[in-house]
Amino acid sequence: PVSVQELKDDFLDFISALEEEFSRNQRARLAHDNRDRAVLIHVSTLPPSLSQDSIAELRELARSAGIDVVHEIIQRRPLDPRLVMGRGKMQAALITAMQKGAEMLVFDLNLTPSQVRSLSDFTDLKVLDRTQVILDIFAQHAVTRDGKLQVELAQLRYLLPILNIRQVALSRLTGGIGGRGPGETRLEIDKRRARDRIARLEREVEQLGKQRRLRRSVRTDKKTPTIAVVGYTNAGKSTLLNSLTNSDVVAKDFLFATLNPVSRRLRFPQEREVIITDTVGFIRNLPKDLLAAFRTTFEELHEADLLLHIVDASSNDIVEKMSTVLDTIKALELNDKPMITVFNKIDLCNPEEIKGLVQQYEGISISALNRTTFKILLDELESRLFPADLEEICTY
């Protein structure tokens, strides 16, 4: 061992040189850019193509949440029960995050409470998982009271198990004069308050659900057919609704731009009307807490006479996304609903590929931005929703 005074190199100069090199390697940040910088991490045994698709979707989720992605790491190995990835690889990831100036690590999976604890002990960087990013997007896009309540409910349900890993600051005992023993721990108080808040939110969400069911009953009494637009997030559902009904529903190139059901009237010739409803998009590995919190939103699908499955035909993993939507519909017990598959964004695709998709899935191809492509879709909707009227016309 050598004492610090006998070292040939100046330690302070060495640290200063390191910090200067880090600052040179970091990407310049604009003055108005206050987004958090993040390193995305994907660990799985999936084939490389599926791993790339999964982290590409996480990148889109991060963009929608306002996160600046500075680096991506993919490791092909079984999940480590503590640190998700190997210890050496995790240390390399932290060095990369330091070099890139990242403030957080975003994992492409749903972390367990024990993994969150281990990662928090291993690094001072913020640690997020896929569910937290989705919840953050939902919180940013929730504008109505209904949406805000459902997002808060989903957040509390997700955070409740993680309260067990809170640090020493929450281990102080509280209680007062006249209490039995030392009283409740701070952790127990937080848990009880969270459960009370969840119970209250569930009552409020249920009340709003009753109001929505009352509004739907008016449409049912008038025997107005209802169409529900479903599909993977960012497939173009809101854009199609706007084009069909001349509406101005928020339609952005972000994931989960629509959180609350939006209903508009669609008028056919011969004074026939239908109600068309836009719903929240689906995504792979959608957390169960989100499905439970948004159950009153998904009730709109149960009342629909017809489902319109919108598919982004320009997507690279179109089969996986279609399977995700169909699996979610099955989980919501909507298998018995008649459904039309609509391939959107054909202006971005090869016509031969679109022709093959239409034949394979017996679907209809459109571009939601081009109303001249709607004729076949509108004819199909009319024949499905008003079959008796068409038979009468044919008889004449």
Side-chain angles (χ1 to χ4, degrees), residues 179-379:
R180 291 183 299 176
E184 290 181 297
T185 64
R186 185 71 207 177
L187 178 60
E188 289 168 347
I189 291 176
D190 283 351
K191 280 183 152 186
R192 177 168 52 78
R193 286 177 177 170
R195 291 194 188 98
D196 291 345
R197 181 64 177 163
I198 287 173
R200 179 180 174 185
L201 288 173
E202 286 179 337
R203 289 194 297 269
E204 293 188 35
V205 168
E206 183 60 33
Q207 183 62 34
L208 290 172
K210 290 179 181 178
Q211 296 175 9
R212 192 183 290 121
R213 285 192 288 272
L214 183 61
R215 291 195 296 269
R216 286 200 304 268
S217 66
V218 175
R219 297 200 299 258
T220 305
D221 292 341
K222 293 182 178 179
K223 297 183 179 179
T224 306
T226 304
I227 302 170
V229 182
V230 300
Y232 210 80
T233 180
N234 206 27
K237 301 182 294 298
S238 299
T239 304
L240 177 60
L241 179 71
N242 288 337
S243 298
L244 285 172
T245 61
N246 291 325
S247 303
D248 55 355
V249 176
V250 176
K252 298 180 179 178
D253 185 22
F254 285 116
L255 303 186
F256 300 112
T258 302
L259 286 188
N260 299 306
V262 180
S263 298
R264 296 290 184 269
R265 289 186 179 273
L266 173 62
R267 185 180 295 274
F268 285 96
Q270 302 179 14
E271 299 301 319
R272 288 187 295 227
E273 286 186 346
V274 300
I275 300 296
I276 183 166
T277 302
D278 185 18
T279 58
V280 62
F282 301 147
I283 195 168
R284 62 169 66 98
N285 299 326
L286 189 67
K288 292 182 179 179
D289 290 338
L290 281 181
L291 276 177
F294 281 78
R295 66 185 184 281
T296 58
T297 297
F298 291 126
E299 284 177 2
E300 296 279 348
L301 303 179
H302 289 274
E303 303 294 333
D305 300 296
L306 179 67
L307 299 181
L308 215 57
H309 179 190
I310 309 301
V311 182
D312 181 359
S314 65
S315 175
N316 294 327
D317 52 348
I318 184 171
V319 176
E320 288 79 8
K321 289 182 176 179
M322 289 180 68
S323 298
T324 298
V325 173
L326 295 177
D327 290 342
T328 307
I329 288 175
K330 184 177 180 181
L332 294 171
E333 299 179 353
L334 296 167
N335 310 46
D336 56 338
K337 293 285 182 184
M339 185 169 62
I340 300 176
T341 303
V342 180
F343 294 98
N344 187 25
K345 304 184 183 181
I346 60 173
D347 50 314
L348 304 177
C349 305
N350 186 329
E352 292 299 320
E353 294 179 1
I354 293 297
K355 187 177 179 180
L357 287 172
V358 169
Q359 291 178 349
Q360 181 179 355
Y361 295 100
E362 298 181 353
I364 297 171
S365 60
I366 64 163
S367 172
L369 297 174
N370 185 359
R371 296 182 181 179
T372 61
T373 62
F374 292 172
K375 185 179 186 312
I376 298 177
L377 173 61
L378 293 173
D379 290 343

